[in-house]
Amino acid sequence: MGFSGHLVFARSKRPLLEAPVFNSISHELKDTVHAWWPRPGGWQTLQFDHGLWEDAYLSALVGWTGAPACVADVFDSDIALVTGLGTNGQRWQAWLNLDNAAALLTEEPEDLDDASLWAGTPEFNEAVRRKRAELEVDVPAGAEGALVWAAAAGIPATAQQSGIEELLRSRDTFAEDLFSVLLDQLGFPQAAQPSPEP
């Protein structure tokens, strides 16, 4: 069973979970939020279980931190939809694990009695191929948006758009790993194990 929930990436001098936008989450549920190793410069990633994140939180988080932020909506570790938001309100989106996304987003025929009998059929494979082509059209814009967003976050432009597009077309067993690699390739400082407190 993979992870389903949200990965939230933002910059703050204070622990990200202290953001006022998370005040509505109970202390018990806050205890379930997992912090990934931080990245230098105040960049933090929080892992929220499914149901703890609201779409409106992203703009509120950008307002509180004064910096661009993004969130990955992960489904069973198979796919993730990443949404980034800049301080100017500019948004971008990109799917991770495009092949899996195409298979999961392909609509079943209305007259289908048993979905399990449809998967793997020539008709299913053709429907997935068409959905994959639809998603493919958005890859260049997603990559460009991610690069513009990273630049607005003060990250030196070292990544090439072709490299980010290649990553968006790649696959990994865990979509959350691809999310981490995306941040690395965009040029964000590498995550490091925090020093133990004295």
Side-chain angles (χ1 to χ4, degrees):
M1 189 73 177
F3 167 71
S4 290
H6 292 83
L7 304 173
V8 180
F9 180 71
R11 182 175 63 196
S12 174
K13 292 178 181 176
R14 293 163 55 186
L16 207 52
L17 204 51
E18 292 181 6
V21 68
F22 301 132
N23 287 347
S24 61
I25 300 175
S26 71
H27 287 296
E28 292 79 13
L29 289 176
K30 278 187 178 180
D31 288 341
T32 68
V33 177
H34 172 66
W36 287 14
W37 286 359
R39 294 171 182 258
W43 293 103
Q44 303 172 50
T45 304
L46 296 179
Q47 181 174 312
F48 288 81
D49 288 338
H50 185 68
L52 293 184
W53 177 263
E54 303 288 342
D55 289 342
Y57 287 177
L58 186 58
S59 57
L61 197 59
V62 168
W64 183 73
T65 62
C70 73
V71 59
D73 185 355
V74 183
F75 175 74
D76 202 20
S77 291
D78 288 332
I79 63 171
L81 178 61
V82 184
T83 303
L85 182 65
T87 53
N88 61 354
Q90 189 168 9
R91 298 173 75 90
W92 62 274
Q93 283 192 317
W95 286 100
L96 300 178
N97 270 348
L98 212 56
D99 291 336
N100 290 349
L104 286 168
L105 295 172
T106 296
E107 294 183 13
E108 299 172 355
E110 290 181 7
D111 59 351
L112 195 65
D113 292 328
D114 187 346
S116 65
L117 298 179
W118 189 56
T121 63
E123 294 80 9
F124 170 80
N125 293 336
E126 175 58 22
V128 171
R129 187 196 63 75
R130 286 197 305 269
K131 177 57 75 173
R132 174 72 164 75
E134 278 179 38
L135 297 176
E136 171 70 31
V137 171
D138 296 327
V139 167
E144 182 182 8
L147 287 166
V148 169
W149 171 84
I155 301 303
T158 55
Q160 298 293 320
Q161 181 165 337
S162 59
I164 301 301
E165 287 184 25
E166 184 178 341
L167 172 68
L168 296 181
R169 294 185 180 103
S170 69
R171 62 191 315 168
D172 196 294
T173 304
F174 299 103
E176 50 268 45
D177 289 346
L178 272 181
F179 178 66
S180 185
V181 173
L182 174 63
L183 296 175
D184 290 344
Q185 288 202 11
L186 286 172
F188 287 91
Q190 294 276 330
Q193 184 173 8
S195 303
E197 294 184 8

